[in-house]
Amino acid sequence: MEKVAIYCRLSEEDRNKKFETDDSNSIQNQKAMLLEYSIEQGWEVYNIYSDDNYTGSDRNRPEFVRLLEDAKARKFDIILCKSQSRFTRELELVERYINGLFPIWGIRFVSLVDNADTANKGNKKSRQINGLVNEWYLEDMSENIRSVLTNRRKNGFHIGAFALYGYKKDPDQKGHLIIDEEAAAVVREVFTLFSQGYGKTAIARMLNDRGVPNPTEYKRLHGLRYQQPKRKNSTLWKYSAISDMLVNEIYIGNMVQGKYGSISYKTKQNKPRPKETWYCVEGTHEPIIERDLWDRVQAMVASRAKPFDVGSIGLFARKVRCANCGYTMRSSKNRGRHYLQCSNRHVAKDACIGSFISVEKLENMVIQELNALSRTYLDQDELERNVQFSQNLEQQKANWMESKARLQKQLEDNRTYLRTLYMDKVKGIVSEEDYISMADSFAADRERMEQQIKEADHRLDELEAQMQAGDQRKELIQRYTNVEHLTREMVEILIDYIIVGKRIPGTHEVPIEIHWNF
């Protein structure tokens, strides 16, 4: 018996669930329909994969990912869905899996509602059209949602998943914020302390010494929605939390949104947006901070801000992280020398080991490793191996170009033979029936050769990219061989990030780990 894997998906919030762990009615209906069909076909059900409350554009659906892993391992013969859109709404995934990898893995894809079946060679175009329509649907839906959200932002409605610390969502009015008095008291204290001359790090330490939970921990303790922290010491107040709070206009009753925007409707990644594109509406909710206190704090923040000049950015700014807590190390200056230190070392007792290194020492260590790397890479033996590698790529490129030329010649011959065959049919030399049969054969050969030519073009592009990447790597190292000093431009080009540990006791050695961009 052939083994079938059943896949079900529902993207909308299910109103009929009694418990969150229950399957939705729609999922249950999908399962019942697909199980019945499997029994009718005489298939053995290997497993049922079910994703509830996931969109068709989400590539990280847990059961979807497990289904693909099991398909690759050939644990079943058939994938059965209610419709192709239940599997995916992305044309790219339709081509990659349904029309590409599944046939290679020996997996048949079947969907009931839209009659998609990879065992039927004749409906490949209909599957592609379904994929294209689903892709358009995703894009249109994304634009519609974006339009609705933009309109709500412009009208001052809060649309975020989480309320800002000091506020909570109004249960009686959607999109409205009300004051959370317990958290608001801390916000007022932070503004007051800063206006009295306390620094941001000092304020963070005072709150930590008293055991005041930071915004994330406060929300967790009170059962409120919050973003899961990714780093250690997530319960502590940090310099950055105080700094962000002191300039957030939401605390004076203005709704400010749209600071970040999505890159594409196909990904959840966001990027910062220019300040002039933010949505700011005044007087949308009750303020926590009075206007006169706000104005005093803003004046003090502005007076303490260091003026930015071209070239004044630190050599390793935003590039160095603490080995213990993972936070970005901050710069400081003492007696004319510049240092980098962990931003957590002063916020609370035993918050971090306190990684510390002078910029001069770190620069020398980076230069030393860079020069050693360049000597290793530019070693004569290594260069000879690299030349052989490049020659191998050149040979592969020549082989593929020869193969492509041969296929193009065969394709042109195919067209010539077909024209000759047509003229023979017109002259009565070949019967209509024989013409149709041979024409179909020519068409199949032509489709196969066109596909092989596309594959050759793809492979040639890959080889060209590999050859260019190899050259760029060598040029990059050669450009910075035997350097004596680093510039910010060099750091940006060469270094992804650097991990700095604590000084080894009894020595002056500080362990570092450099993550290069090449």
Side-chain angles (χ1 to χ4, degrees), residues 380-442:
Q380 187 62 37
D381 293 336
E382 179 65 26
L383 279 175
E384 288 177 2
R385 286 195 293 271
N386 187 65
V387 169
Q388 291 174 1
F389 174 70
S390 298
Q391 289 173 346
N392 182 43
L393 291 179
E394 288 284 1
Q395 185 60 49
Q396 290 184 50
K397 181 179 178 181
N399 292 340
W400 276 102
M401 290 181 69
E402 182 181 346
S403 176
K404 178 182 175 182
R406 186 173 61 254
L407 286 166
Q408 288 174 328
K409 176 66 169 58
Q410 292 174 357
L411 186 61
E412 185 59 37
D413 291 343
N414 179 286
R415 296 191 180 101
T416 302
Y417 295 150
L418 186 58
R419 286 194 294 269
T420 303
L421 180 65
Y422 178 75
M423 293 305 299
D424 289 345
K425 182 188 77 102
V426 172
K427 294 175 182 178
I429 300 173
V430 177
S431 68
E432 180 75 23
E433 184 179 351
D434 289 341
Y435 170 76
I436 293 173
S437 176
M438 287 187 284
D440 287 344
S441 177
F442 281 133

Side-chain angles (χ1 to χ4, degrees), residues 141-300:
M141 183 173 65
S142 175
E143 287 300 320
N144 291 337
I145 292 173
R146 188 191 302 272
S147 177
V148 171
L149 295 181
T150 297
N151 185 63
R152 289 185 63 79
R153 287 190 182 106
K154 288 180 178 179
N155 286 286
F157 291 101
H158 179 265
I159 65 168
F162 317 103
L164 181 67
Y165 178 74
Y167 288 98
K168 54 187 177 182
K169 293 184 176 182
D170 189 342
D172 301 322
Q173 185 179 347
K174 188 175 181 180
H176 183 249
L177 297 179
I178 57 176
I179 292 178
D180 179 352
E181 285 299 340
E182 183 179 349
V186 178
V187 175
R188 295 187 188 99
E189 181 182 5
V190 169
F191 274 81
T192 301
L193 288 171
F194 188 81
S195 69
Q196 292 172 351
Y198 289 92
K200 298 168 187 176
T201 300
I203 295 172
R205 186 178 183 87
M206 291 168 66
L207 295 175
N208 289 329
D209 289 346
R210 281 172 29 212
V212 178
N214 72 352
T216 301
E217 181 66 5
Y218 174 84
K219 290 180 181 181
R220 189 188 69 81
L221 293 172
H222 287 74
L224 303 172
R225 293 190 66 185
Y226 68 97
Q227 190 169 2
Q228 190 68 30
K230 299 179 181 179
R231 295 173 174 172
K232 300 177 183 179
N233 301 314
S234 60
T235 62
L236 296 174
W237 285 89
K238 307 289 194 311
Y239 174 94
S240 57
I242 303 297
S243 181
D244 292 343
M245 178 183 291
L246 292 172
V247 294
N248 198 322
E249 290 188 43
I250 292 181
Y251 290 122
I252 56 172
N254 298 341
M255 185 59 66
V256 182
Q257 299 179 102
K259 294 182 179 180
Y260 293 84
S262 62
I263 297 173
S264 164
Y265 69 91
K266 291 187 177 183
T267 176
K268 294 181 179 180
Q269 291 183 343
N270 289 324
K271 64 178 181 180
R273 302 174 71 237
K275 189 171 183 178
E276 58 270 17
T277 65
W278 296 356
Y279 302 98
C280 184
V281 182
E282 297 184 359
T284 60
H285 52 275
E286 185 178 357
I288 292 176
I289 303 302
E290 297 297 330
R291 193 71 196 212
D292 58 342
L293 175 59
W294 169 264
D295 290 340
R296 288 202 308 276
V297 167
Q298 300 317 298
M300 294 177 69

